[in-house]
Amino acid sequence: MVKVENNLKWRYGIGRYIVPLALIFLWEITYWFVGEPAMGSPWQSITDIFNNYVEWMPDVGETLLALFISFLISAIVGSILGFFIGLSGFWTRTLSPLIIGLYSIPKVTLYPIFLLIFGLTIYGRVAFSVFHGIFPILIMCMQATRMIPDTYLKVAKVYQLSFFQKARMILIPAIMPQLVAGLRMGFSLCFLGLIIAEMFASSKGMGFRLMHYMSLNRTSSILALILIIVFVAFFCTFLFLIWQERVERKIGKSRITTP
């Protein structure tokens, strides 16, 4: 059994690196068929990154700063609200339809409201990004808290644990796998909301730079910026996946299953 799990783990690890290489190969094949100016090659895009990184660094820094702030706000507020709402059956049943309804709204249609309130500032981009990312964190944390087995709560009652002791030793460890999954989804949506905000109305950031090169029809520069965006998204998501797997292994829920 251990040998099978190790073999599967090795295969999954190799697959994570093969897929990006296969996508780059597919990109090169597409370039051969389509050609310029509709498509730039991977080599041209990588060359553009090295040629323009000094010019792009302020925009990359602006986007990463706004992403860090927005995700931090989403993670803290979403986790706390989801945890405390999930502790109460009444508030879970009352607020769940409202929260899920808000989550289903096409958020890009609400960006003019954020623009009117905050203007072309980093605060507006952060607020719009938070509006994207907070809901999956809140919903998954709320549902995970609500699904904690009653046995855990009975044990806490038997040992007469205080609320903070119960939260630290029982509740939070029990919801950690779902919470990390929610944080991963929240990060992705924060990044999506931020790039959309920068593309629509901004004078800084990678989204702004992307729209600028789209107006100039500089395909290789567009694809180079997309490469940077994809790298940031893949790298951070990969870290969340590693964190989630470690949490699940710690509580005895290995992601590696036999076929």
Side-chain angles (χ1 to χ4, degrees):
M1 180 68 68
V2 175
K3 185 177 181 181
V4 172
E5 289 184 355
N6 289 335
N7 288 336
L8 286 171
K9 188 185 296 184
W10 179 80
R11 285 161 56 187
Y12 292 151
I14 293 296
R16 288 174 177 174
Y17 297 100
I18 290 177
V19 170
L21 294 176
L23 291 175
I24 293 174
F25 181 69
L26 181 62
W27 178 5
E28 181 66 29
I29 292 177
T30 305
Y31 171 72
W32 291 346
F33 282 100
V34 177
E36 298 181 5
M39 177 70 72
S41 69
W43 176 251
Q44 289 174 335
S45 300
I46 293 172
T47 302
D48 257 33
I49 293 176
F50 284 102
N51 291 339
N52 298 301
Y53 75 94
V54 175
E55 181 184 357
W56 293 350
M57 281 302 293
D59 295 301
V60 174
E62 182 81 9
T63 297
L64 293 180
L65 175 62
L67 178 61
F68 174 77
I69 296 171
S70 60
F71 176 67
L72 186 64
I73 295 172
S74 299
I76 294 174
V77 177
S79 300
I80 292 174
L81 286 179
F83 179 72
F84 282 103
I85 293 173
L87 290 176
S88 170
F90 171 79
W91 288 114
T92 300
R93 289 189 293 271
T94 302
L95 297 178
S96 286
L98 299 176
I99 294 171
I100 295 173
L102 285 172
Y103 183 43
S104 65
I105 295 174
K107 297 169 187 61
V108 68
T109 60
L110 302 178
Y111 186 62
I113 298 175
F114 288 87
L115 192 60
L116 288 172
I117 295 172
F118 297 100
L120 296 176
T121 64
I122 190 173
Y123 305 108
R125 299 193 293 276
V126 167
F128 190 64
S129 178
V130 169
F131 190 64
H132 272 74
I134 194 171
F135 288 104
I137 301 173
L138 194 159
I139 292 171
M140 294 193 71
C141 185
M142 178 178 63
Q143 292 177 345
T145 305
R146 196 70 204 136
M147 293 174 63
I148 293 175
D150 292 336
T151 307
Y152 294 1
L153 304 178
K154 290 178 182 178
V155 170
K157 187 175 182 179
V158 168
Y159 283 96
Q160 297 182 345
L161 299 179
S162 67
F163 174 77
F164 292 104
Q165 289 174 326
K166 182 170 64 174
R168 181 172 59 87
M169 294 188 290
I170 297 178
L171 301 181
I172 294 177
I175 68 172
M176 276 304 294
Q178 295 91 334
L179 178 57
V180 175
L183 290 173
R184 174 165 53 85
M185 293 176 60
F187 172 83
S188 301
L189 289 176
C190 275
F191 200 14
L192 171 65
L194 179 61
I195 294 298
I196 290 174
E198 290 179 346
M199 291 176 69
F200 269 96
S202 176
S203 58
K204 296 178 182 178
M206 287 191 284
F208 161 76
R209 186 66 61 177
L210 192 62
M211 292 298 292
H212 173 68
Y213 287 131
M214 287 176 65
S215 66
L216 299 177
N217 198 27
R218 288 177 53 175
T219 311
S220 59
S221 297
I222 294 170
L223 293 172
L225 283 168
I226 292 174
L227 272 180
I228 297 174
I229 293 171
V230 168
F231 173 78
V232 173
F234 267 59
F235 178 75
C236 295
T237 301
F238 186 70
L239 293 181
F240 278 113
L241 285 172
I242 293 175
W243 184 17
Q244 184 176 350
E245 288 175 351
R246 288 183 177 178
V247 168
E248 291 178 345
R249 283 199 299 268
K250 187 175 180 180
I251 63 174
K253 294 181 180 179
S254 175
R255 292 173 64 90
I256 308 299
T257 57
T258 55

